[in-house]
Amino acid sequence: MGQGDDTTAQRLRLLELEFLVPGGNGPGDGRSATRTTSPALVNLGILDHMNRAVAEVVEHVQAENPQARPYSGGAAGIYTWMHENDTAPERQDVREALIYRQGLEHAIAAGNTKVIRPHRCPACRTYGLFWREQAGHAACVNRHCVDEHGLSRTWSLERLAQQHIADRKLRAVGTT
């Protein structure tokens, strides 16, 4: 299992501990003075996020390996299960990009948008991307890196993950 898998699993465990355990101190779990019903004991948005992440991995593995054993573990064990059941070497980059993207999503769901900053812009290759919450994309800060409308280029987490995996492969063979 790669280092990105460990980081992604740790981020998922952190989400579970901070946002799903009663008494967790994640955002949005404060009380309102006008509330007339009891608050949920867990952050339902985070629970939905985690369920979507696990379902996406299960769906990916089952599409690649119909003979994969069913998944029945906790959320953070999903990436170990993925590596045990989706072993096609020719699909390794797709698998690693999915894991890395989910790691970014987990960090952003926990409120850590700084995970975007260390990535290079896929177009101009400068550092300094930032997260645009409303758009749900990373944007380049380079004023010369604009689209056909003169707006800052934006990038999906999927694109950043694909670029990260490609860059990592290039570094591994020593060509950067």
Side-chain angles (χ1 to χ4, degrees), residues 121-126 140-147 150-155:
C121 172
C124 69
R125 304 298 292 155
T126 59
C140 184
V141 297
N142 181 347
R143 65 185 178 99
H144 301 289
C145 186
V146 295
D147 64 15
L151 301 172
S152 297
R153 290 185 193 267
T154 60
W155 307 99

Side-chain angles (χ1 to χ4, degrees), residues 45-57:
I46 296 297
L47 181 61
D48 287 344
H49 166 82
M50 293 176 67
N51 287 336
R52 281 190 307 271
V54 170
E56 180 183 17
V57 171

Side-chain angles (χ1 to χ4, degrees), residues 54-129:
V54 170
E56 180 183 17
V57 171
V58 169
E59 184 177 304
H60 169 84
V61 170
Q62 290 175 339
E64 296 301 317
N65 179 7
Q67 287 77 36
R69 64 179 173 81
Y71 184 67
S72 60
I78 191 70
Y79 304 108
T80 301
W81 174 83
M82 182 183 207
H83 274 281
E84 292 169 354
N85 290 280
D86 181 16
T87 58
E90 66 276 5
R91 301 281 299 160
Q92 179 179 352
D93 290 350
V94 172
R95 178 175 55 248
E96 297 304 319
L98 186 150
I99 292 168
Y100 191 80
R101 176 186 49 81
Q102 283 197 356
L104 294 174
E105 290 171 350
H106 301 335
I108 290 168
N112 179 8
T113 60
K114 291 180 181 179
V115 295
I116 301 302
R117 304 282 297 162
H119 292 87
R120 287 180 180 233
C121 172
C124 69
R125 304 298 292 155
T126 59
Y127 289 102
L129 295 176

